[in-house]
Structures are given as C-alpha cells and as structure tokens.
Amino acid sequence: MATCLDCDDGGALDLLQRRGRTLSEPTIPDLPADGGWNFDAYLTNTPRGIWTSFLAVVVEAIALSYITSAPVTADFPEKANATLNWTEGSWDRAFAFDMDPIIGGPIARVFVQNKSQRVVIAFKGGCGDPTLEQCKVDLCYADVHARSWGNVTDIAREIRAAQCSIYSSLLDFTTQADRFVRRVQKAFCGYHILLTGHSLGGMLAMAVAAQQPGILKAFTIGAEPFDYVLTHEMNFTEEQMSAVAKSNDIVLVCDPFDCGLQVAFSPTAYAGVKTCAYLDAPIPEECASFVRPFAATGWQQAAFSLESEYYQHGFNSSRFNETIACDTRAHEWLRYLDPVLKVSYPTCFVSDRDMQGMKVPES
C-alpha cells in the first residue's frame, strides 16, 4: 500500500528532471495486487524470474551504499556518483537525497523508477575501520544503543560508555533514519517504498519499517538484530510488536550462521521478521565445528549453550572466541555477494515472539 505524508507537489518527477536524469523502464516485472513490492511473489519466484530480478536491484542498491560513501570514495572518488546500472535496465539515483553525515550517523542512498512508482532506500552497514570517526560512532551505536550481540554486549557497553559519551548527541540513529525516510515519502508521494540494507543498515531499515506497518516494507540481507532497539530505544509495546509480525512486511535473508548465532545471544533477535536462510550456502571455514543453524535437530540447544559458556568464562572462553570468528566471517558483505547469494533460493521460517526466536520451518 502506497501512502502520502503531506506530499510535495510533483516532488519525485520534478526532482529527477531538474537533475537531467533519463527516466528508465522498470526492471522488475509488473506484479499482481497493488503493483508494489510483493514479497510472496519474489520468494516463490512467481512469475518466473522475478526473484532474480528483484534480488539484483536490492543487492546493487546495498553495494552502492557502501561504494559511493567514505571510506571507499576516499581512495576511489570516481565511485561517488555511481548509480544502479549492473542490472538489466537502470534506476535513477536521487542524488538530492544522499544522506552523508559529516561525523557519524546513518548513511543512505535513494533510487527511483517513476514508471513503476517504486523507490528503494538503502542504508549503509556499519563502518569497520576503527581509525575513522564514522566507525567509532557506528560502534558506539551498535554497542551502547542496539546491543548487537544481545546480553553479550554488556561488557562492550561498559567499556565504551565513557568513550561514547562525546557522541551521545549523534546516537539517535533510528530517529535520524525515520526522519529521512519520511522526507523521502513526502517527496515521492504515492510511491511504493522499499527499505533495505546489510548489517547495521539492515537493522535500521527494519526498525524504520516497523514504525509504519502496512505502509513501509523492508527486505534486508544479514541484518543485525533489531529487537532491543524496538523494545528499549523505541519503546514498542506488545501490541506494536504483534502488528509488525502480522504485517508480514519485513523480510531478512541470511547465511544460517550469521542470523543463527545472533539468535544464540539474543533469542528474540528477529521477532516479527520473516527470516529466510540460505541453508545450502557453503560453510565458512571458521564455522566448520559448529552445528549448522536451522538445518539439524537440536541446533538451538547447541547455540544457546554458548551464552552460558560466555557467562562462565567471558572473553577468555576459546569457544566463545571461535563463535565470534564464525559469525564475523558469515556476516561479511562480500561473502554474501559470493558465495551465499549465488544459492538459488533461501528457506523461509516463521518467527514467533512467544517462542523466543526459535525458528520453525513453514509448512
């Protein structure tokens, strides 16, 4: 369902025409129902070929959120103005909506197809270079606000609390992201808006979409858990969480070790989210000694035991450190590009908050 938020008159088309952009044909075929983002159609590949076409757009949008912003553009300035052109056809990048905070905060890119009235907003994942201030702010948000590793982040929160105090005014990532999306909604009145992202970017996409169930949709890849942000930072009630789950408008696709090990440390990590894991993805070398999540009886018990081991031995636990290494490798964006997303289709599961994040295959 598309909706307007005090629309600007002719905002989307006029904005692109002022930029001198050439309006392009839609890459994704027309869909049944309202013609918007139909996750059921994509995940069942109906009509045939629509899954590959949809995924190509999402993957390129996320990739561009990384390569058109710092630190990549510091070494490759020619990447800064790149737009979607790897897929069949092309999308128009709405340059006027580039979100690039100077010190720290959400980074996002906006892509538009006017004929199909679709918009993709891609939030960038967290920065990994600890020498850059942007990365320090990302880490402060992930550890202090989002608790990306569930209860295990408690020690990191304590360690970073003093360091992060100087960035306290910048750590309202979800508020910034929500305001940004509403500004895009206002400009592209009536358009079908999809939020996407990887890692931290995926978490922001899901958190913002959850605030407008039935209106915004989010399709993310390897997103960080968002349950703590919803329940503590955004103060979601049980009724609001239930509305998110019933909307069926938030989908996460992931490597099973990536999202499975997150569940080990935050049982409700993806409550309300349709989780789809690439069960046939090659196992990372760092994960060879672990039970593959979702694919074998008892995987939950094996994963959950890691949390109790952490509380007994903390960061001195060799098994805990092996878990960190496994998850880090499984989570990498470049690994999703090759080989994870080359697996034909993921297997989708039902996420039930009352079951504490234990996933049950759909019938």
Side-chain angles (χ1 to χ4, degrees):
M1 175 181 179
T3 189
C4 304
L5 298 176
D6 298 322
C7 305
D8 287 340
D9 293 334
L13 183 60
D14 181 60
L15 199 157
L16 289 173
Q17 287 178 335
R18 286 202 308 271
R19 297 283 310 183
R21 305 293 295 167
T22 301
L23 304 184
S24 51
E25 295 297 315
T27 300
I28 301 175
D30 289 337
L31 296 173
D34 66 359
W37 302 100
N38 190 321
F39 291 161
D40 289 337
Y42 301 142
L43 293 169
T44 59
N45 197 33
T46 307
R48 186 174 180 179
I50 199 170
W51 168 250
T52 302
S53 182
F54 167 71
L55 191 62
V57 172
V58 169
V59 168
E60 188 178 357
I62 295 173
L64 287 173
S65 73
Y66 280 112
I67 69 174
T68 64
S69 57
V72 174
T73 51
D75 296 323
F76 303 96
E78 70 277 7
K79 302 287 187 183
N81 293 322
T83 189
L84 281 118
N85 55 16
W86 304 339
T87 58
E88 180 182 352
S90 63
W91 288 60
D92 298 296
R93 176 173 158 192
F95 287 90
F97 287 93
D98 282 2
M99 189 181 192
D100 281 302
I102 296 175
I103 298 177
I107 291 174
R109 297 291 180 263
V110 178
F111 306 95
V112 186
Q113 284 197 335
N114 281 278
K115 184 174 180 179
S116 62
Q117 292 197 316
R118 294 190 179 103
V119 171
V120 176
I121 301 176
F123 287 100
K124 179 184 177 181
C127 175
D129 185 347
T131 65
L132 298 178
E133 194 165 29
Q134 170 72 47
C135 303
K136 294 178 183 177
V137 177
D138 286 350
L139 286 170
C140 286
Y141 176 76
D143 289 343
V144 176
H145 276 219
R147 289 182 57 159
S148 296
W149 271 85
N151 294 333
V152 176
T153 54
D154 285 346
I155 290 180
R157 283 161 59 90
E158 293 176 8
I159 293 174
R160 294 191 195 281
Q163 302 172 7
C164 295
S165 61
I166 61 173
Y167 300 123
S168 59
S169 64
L170 302 175
L171 300 184
D172 57 342
F173 276 39
T174 53
T175 299
Q176 295 179 56
D178 179 65
R179 288 173 179 167
F180 174 74
V181 169
R182 290 176 186 273
R183 186 163 66 89
V184 175
Q185 285 179 281
K186 184 177 178 180
F188 294 90
C189 179
Y191 280 50
H192 304 279
I193 296 179
L194 177 74
L195 310 183
T196 191
H198 163 255
S199 190
L200 174 63
M203 186 275 285
L204 290 174
M206 295 191 299
V208 172
Q211 297 180 71
Q212 297 187 51
I215 297 174
L216 290 174
K217 294 191 175 186
F219 186 96
T220 67
I221 298 175
E224 291 184 1
F226 79 148
D227 62 324
Y228 189 84
V229 169
L230 291 189
T231 57
H232 289 74
E233 183 177 338
M234 297 162 60
N235 298 315
F236 263 45
T237 64
E238 288 290 334
E239 290 74 18
Q240 287 175 300
M241 293 296 292
S242 178
V244 172
K246 290 178 180 177
S247 72
N248 201 31
D249 286 341
I250 302 179
V251 172
L252 162 70
V253 296
C254 61
D255 177 279
F257 288 99
D258 187 5
C259 52
L261 292 177
Q262 294 285 7
V263 170
F265 295 103
S266 183
T268 58
Y270 304 111
V273 175
K274 186 171 199 173
T275 304
C276 303
Y278 285 90
L279 299 182
D280 296 328
I283 298 176
E285 180 180 346
E286 294 84 347
C287 304
S289 64
F290 289 85
V291 176
R292 185 194 285 264
F294 308 111
T297 301
W299 79 266
Q300 294 100 332
Q301 288 74 19
F304 291 148
S305 67
L306 294 169
E307 184 172 11
S308 62
E309 181 172 331
Y310 163 75
Y311 281 115
Q312 291 180 34
H313 305 289
F315 291 122
N316 293 322
S317 165
S318 59
R319 189 58 169 169
F320 176 75
N321 286 308
E322 289 171 4
T323 304
I324 296 292
C326 170
D327 181 74
T328 299
R329 181 72 177 100
H331 185 68
E332 290 177 356
W333 172 243
L334 291 180
R335 184 171 180 275
Y336 272 102
L337 291 180
D338 185 12
V340 176
L341 294 175
K342 290 188 176 181
V343 176
S344 296
Y345 302 105
T347 298
C348 294
F349 300 83
V350 176
S351 177
D352 188 326
R353 185 171 175 77
D354 294 332
M355 296 175 64
Q356 304 245 321
M358 313 254 300
K359 305 296 190 292
V360 180
E362 291 185 328
S363 59

